């Protein structure tokens, strides 16, 4: 199994002239819902990782936003040591960049990295689809149809955070059908990185088209038409990738104005 994340040192540095002008992330944009009962450092670290990842996927945290250790510690009621552990883990997942003497920032992927992520997704998800079609059950189809209905409802009511998460999570739900947790984790990591990429580089909001493509793909899966399903998957990922432009969007807006903090 391929690993999409390469381990890096907390002291890894990279250059970005825009960083100094970008706002700090308001920690209240990161949900503390579903906090674990255990107060161990390990569970607290993983909870912070999950919460920040979700905030990125739902576009509540934008590329380039600074993540302040003290604010995160206050938000989750943990020490700065625990926060540092979580930020290092997020840097391994390529969702956060760590800069010596400057702190942690939500990653801002390059176009080259974006294309590499989509290339890996095509390889991984094509094989996943072949195996899924061979073993999928009626109950799995019903669950996936329910997910697509939730997608469509979120698109219709223009619920941007929900539709963003649901559209990316569809691919994770496909992985879950196979019951391979390593695969689920890999696909989750890839789609999380794609969420950042599309936020920076996608030229238009194609949520409705993505939902329609998901529905066509599920019909092919239900019909066990492997060739058609593979063709539709490749077209879907190619479409999203082709929406990327050679220039990033403008700097992130003030996060306090992006979404309510309650």
């Amino acid at each position: 199994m391929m690993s999409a994340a390469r381990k890096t040192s907390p002291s890894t540095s990279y250059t970005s002239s825009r960083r100094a002008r970008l706002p700090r992330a308001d920690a209240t944009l990161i949900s503390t819902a579903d906090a674990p009962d255990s107060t161990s450092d390990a569970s607290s670290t993983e909870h912070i990782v999950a919460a920040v990842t979700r905030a990125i996927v739902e576009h509540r945290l934008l590329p380039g936003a600074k993540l302040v250790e003290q604010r995160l510690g206050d938000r989750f009621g943990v020490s700065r040591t625990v926060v540092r552990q979580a930020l290092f883990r997020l840097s391994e997942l390529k969702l956060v960049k760590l800069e010596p003497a400057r702190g942690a920032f939500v990653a801002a992927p390059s176009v080259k990295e974006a294309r590499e992520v989509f290339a890996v997704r095509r390889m991984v998800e094509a094989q996943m689809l072949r195996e899924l079609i061979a073993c999928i059950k009626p109950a799995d189809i019903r669950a996936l149809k329910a997910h697509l209905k939730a997608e469509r409802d979120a698109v219709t009511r223009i619920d941007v955070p929900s539709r963003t998460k649901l559209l990316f999570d569809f691919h994770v739900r496909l992985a879950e059908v196979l019951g391979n947790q390593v695969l689920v984790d890999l696909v989750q990591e890839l789609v999380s990185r794609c969420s950042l990429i599309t936020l920076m580089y996608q030229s238009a909001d194609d949520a409705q088209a993505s939902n329609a493509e998901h529905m066509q793909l599920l019909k092919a899966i239900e019909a066990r038409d492997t060739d058609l399903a593979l063709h539709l998957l490749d077209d879907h990922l190619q479409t999203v990738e082709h929406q990327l432009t050679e220039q990033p969007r403008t700097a992130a807006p003030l996060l306090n104005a992006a979404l309510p903090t309650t």
Side-chain angles (χ1 to χ4, degrees), residues 173-192:
R173 301 288 86 80
L174 293 177
E176 288 175 345
V177 171
L178 293 174
N180 183 328
Q181 190 58 46
V182 175
L183 176 63
V184 172
D185 291 344
L186 176 57
V187 174
Q188 177 66 68
E189 178 183 335
L190 288 169
V191 300
S192 295

Side-chain angles (χ1 to χ4, degrees), residues 8-241:
T8 59
S9 165
S11 63
T12 298
S13 174
Y14 78 119
T15 303
S16 175
S17 60
R18 293 190 301 128
R19 289 281 187 239
R21 298 193 298 275
L22 290 171
R24 293 182 175 186
D26 186 338
T28 58
L29 291 176
I30 304 171
S31 175
T32 58
D34 303 320
D37 293 332
S38 170
T39 57
S40 70
D41 284 357
S43 62
S44 296
T45 297
E46 289 307 310
H47 177 56
I48 295 171
V49 169
V52 173
T53 298
R54 177 162 184 153
I56 289 171
V57 169
E58 294 181 356
H59 294 176
R60 285 180 280 117
L61 287 179
L62 305 186
K66 184 171 183 177
L67 299 168
V68 182
E69 289 180 5
Q70 187 60 56
R71 292 182 184 180
L72 286 171
D74 292 344
R75 179 70 169 156
F76 290 94
V78 298
S79 68
R80 293 181 69 173
T81 298
V82 173
V83 172
R84 289 190 192 106
Q85 291 171 347
L87 293 174
F88 179 58
R89 175 59 183 148
L90 286 160
S91 76
E92 291 183 314
L93 296 173
K94 306 300 184 186
L95 297 178
V96 164
K97 290 287 187 180
L98 302 176
E99 297 186 15
R102 299 203 62 229
F105 300 84
V106 178
S110 66
V111 170
K112 180 178 182 291
E113 181 181 348
R115 299 200 185 286
E116 289 173 347
V117 169
F118 277 100
V120 173
R121 281 193 64 181
R122 283 193 292 274
M123 289 185 283
V124 170
E125 294 190 42
Q127 182 58 33
M128 175 184 77
L129 201 55
R130 292 186 184 95
E131 296 183 21
L132 182 149
I133 289 174
C135 69
I136 198 162
K137 298 177 176 60
D140 299 322
I141 295 291
R142 289 194 295 271
L144 290 168
K145 285 181 177 178
H147 182 95
L148 292 187
K149 182 181 183 302
E151 266 187 25
R152 187 171 62 252
D153 290 346
V155 169
T156 300
R157 66 177 183 267
I158 318 179
D159 183 346
V160 177
S162 293
R163 80 183 182 199
T164 301
K165 184 174 190 304
L166 287 164
L167 286 167
F168 282 110
D169 274 357
F170 175 69
H171 297 265
V172 181
R173 301 288 86 80
L174 293 177
E176 288 175 345
V177 171
L178 293 174
N180 183 328
Q181 190 58 46
V182 175
L183 176 63
V184 172
D185 291 344
L186 176 57
V187 174
Q188 177 66 68
E189 178 183 335
L190 288 169
V191 300
S192 295
R193 292 176 71 179
C194 282
S195 178
L196 260 180
I197 290 162
T198 56
L199 180 59
M200 285 189 63
Y201 296 109
Q202 202 167 25
S203 58
D205 178 11
D206 292 303
Q208 187 170 2
S210 289
N211 175 248
E213 290 168 3
H214 286 170
M215 293 175 69
Q216 291 176 341
L217 178 58
L218 184 56
K219 287 180 181 178
I221 293 171
E222 186 174 14
R224 297 184 185 274
D225 189 333
T226 303
D227 289 341
L228 177 59
L230 289 170
H231 175 72
L232 291 171
L233 174 66
D234 187 66
D235 276 358
H236 173 58
L237 294 178
Q238 290 278 6
T239 296
V240 176
E241 182 180 352

